[in-house]
Amino acid sequence: MSFDQRDIESHILAAFDDVVMRFDHDHQLTFVNHKFCAIFGGAPETWLGQRAPLDRQLVDADGHCDVCYERGAEELWLSWQIKELAGEDDQPAYQAVGRDITQRKERETSLEESRSRAVDDRDAKSLFLATMSHEIR
């Protein structure tokens, strides 16, 4: 059995534990791996030719963006890294690798809420002490 370079590449990308998708200059999917299908549903064949679930306008100059996907009552955060590839007919193609950062975002939100409560508590304590000091005088 022999494999060409594209077959080998597809097998490697399919084994990634991160979400991997490739799309053409029209934003139409040309490849998705198993993790993509586990998150977005369906089989790879059903996604080919569909629009990639990523708005290129969110991508920064380094090819990075974090996107929140609503899944019922839950949120799923993916951190995408997008690279331009050589496409067919001199048209650009893109590969996007997404890592699940949902837990990190939840921790960041929790820390921000804790910080906000601490600031509110500090302000309330300062107001209380200022009021008591004034009353004592």
Side-chain angles (χ1 to χ4, degrees):
M1 175 192 279
S2 69
F3 291 101
D4 68 12
Q5 183 66 27
R6 285 190 142 200
D7 286 337
I8 293 170
E9 197 173 274
S10 291
H11 286 295
I12 291 170
L13 293 175
F16 272 21
D17 198 33
D18 289 331
V19 178
V20 179
M21 66 178 166
R22 286 187 172 171
F23 50 94
D24 62 18
H25 64 283
D26 290 327
H27 222 61
Q28 304 303 307
L29 290 167
T30 58
F31 172 85
V32 296
N33 72 343
H34 78 284
K35 188 70 171 190
F36 178 99
C37 294
I39 288 176
F40 293 102
E45 310 81 48
T46 61
W47 282 99
L48 301 183
Q50 299 293 319
R51 185 157 182 79
L54 178 65
D55 187 349
R56 284 191 295 201
Q57 294 164 336
L58 298 175
V59 179
D60 67 17
D62 293 328
H64 178 264
C65 67
D66 293 344
V67 179
C68 181
Y69 297 94
E70 301 291 330
R71 299 181 65 185
E74 297 179 1
E75 291 182 340
L76 170 72
W77 282 90
L78 292 177
S79 180
W80 292 102
Q81 187 66 45
I82 299 94
K83 298 288 182 195
E84 187 172 329
L85 307 171
E88 296 179 15
D89 302 327
D90 294 328
Q91 295 291 329
Y94 305 90
Q95 176 171 290
V97 177
R99 178 157 291 165
D100 185 348
I101 59 166
T102 304
Q103 289 181 344
R104 184 184 90 197
K105 287 291 191 177
E106 288 171 352
R107 283 191 304 267
E108 288 173 358
T109 300
S110 177
L111 285 172
E112 180 56 36
E113 289 170 355
S114 294
R115 182 188 141 328
S116 179
R117 280 193 304 272
V119 167
D120 290 346
D121 290 348
R122 181 199 66 204
D123 292 347
K125 180 180 173 184
S126 293
L127 179 61
F128 173 77
L129 291 175
T131 302
M132 290 307 297
S133 174
H134 178 73
E135 291 297 321
I136 290 172
R137 281 189 248 148

